[in-house]
Amino acid sequence: MDAAVKVAAAVHVGTPPGPLSDWIMREVHFHEFEGLTTVREAMVKSPEFSCFGHQWTVKIYPGGKDRSEEGNVAVFLCNESPESIQAYFKFVLKHPTDQTKRSFETGYAIQSFVAREGKGRHNFAKRETVLTYLNNGTLTL
């Protein structure tokens, strides 16, 4: 009797072609977002996750970062691996119940992430707006 073969995970080399739906996407959930400190430069970091053979984190600054405008949330994707990588990335924030509301998206052309460096937005969205996009208190990017 032949055993069934299952593919555990695909491995990609180079940049995948096609639209964003063909890319690897990760949801990152920041629970109890409203209660996070709004002190400028105070950061909350996600646990590490793996993608394309690198370790990554998402860092969010609920009160903004050094160059953020007052009242804005900053968000960054960070390469936690010791090797550099070139990658496309995008942050997407959609309203959890009202699809007619504007989505917040940030995207870049291909970026070079050196070891332990992050790329992102100092002015991702106004905090007061982000609070209306929470799902049971959770911010999902």
Side-chain angles (χ1 to χ4, degrees):
M1 177 177 232
D2 292 329
V5 176
K6 293 182 182 179
V7 175
V11 175
H12 297 270
V13 178
T15 303
L20 182 60
S21 62
D22 292 340
W23 293 15
I24 293 175
M25 297 184 354
R26 298 281 193 263
E27 285 187 347
V28 179
H29 303 273
F30 290 91
H31 300 288
E32 300 174 353
F33 177 82
E34 188 171 8
L36 298 177
T37 182
T38 58
V39 173
R40 186 177 289 272
E41 290 289 324
M43 178 261 299
V44 177
K45 183 166 91 171
S46 74
E48 287 189 9
F49 56 92
S50 180
C51 191
F52 292 115
H54 283 253
Q55 292 302 113
W56 303 89
T57 58
V58 173
K59 294 179 182 176
I60 194 160
Y61 298 78
K65 202 160 162 35
D66 56 347
R67 297 185 329 202
S68 300
E69 294 174 13
E70 188 64 35
N72 275 280
V73 173
V75 62
F76 288 81
L77 177 66
C78 301
N79 173 19
E80 301 293 348
S81 296
E83 303 86 20
S84 297
I85 185 173
Q86 288 191 325
Y88 290 97
F89 74 100
K90 182 180 244 186
F91 292 111
V92 178
L93 173 62
K94 294 182 179 179
H95 195 276
T97 59
D98 187 352
Q99 297 305 308
T100 65
K101 286 197 172 186
R102 175 178 175 253
S103 293
F104 291 87
E105 297 185 18
T106 78
Y108 293 98
I110 195 161
Q111 295 288 306
S112 293
F113 288 84
V114 298
R116 313 229 190 296
E117 181 187 76
K119 304 279 185 180
R121 290 279 191 209
H122 284 85
N123 297 302
F124 176 66
K126 288 282 193 190
R127 178 180 165 74
E128 64 191 34
T129 304
V130 170
L131 292 175
T132 68
Y133 280 62
L134 303 181
N135 187 1
N136 294 319
T138 298
L139 173 64
T140 301
L141 297 174

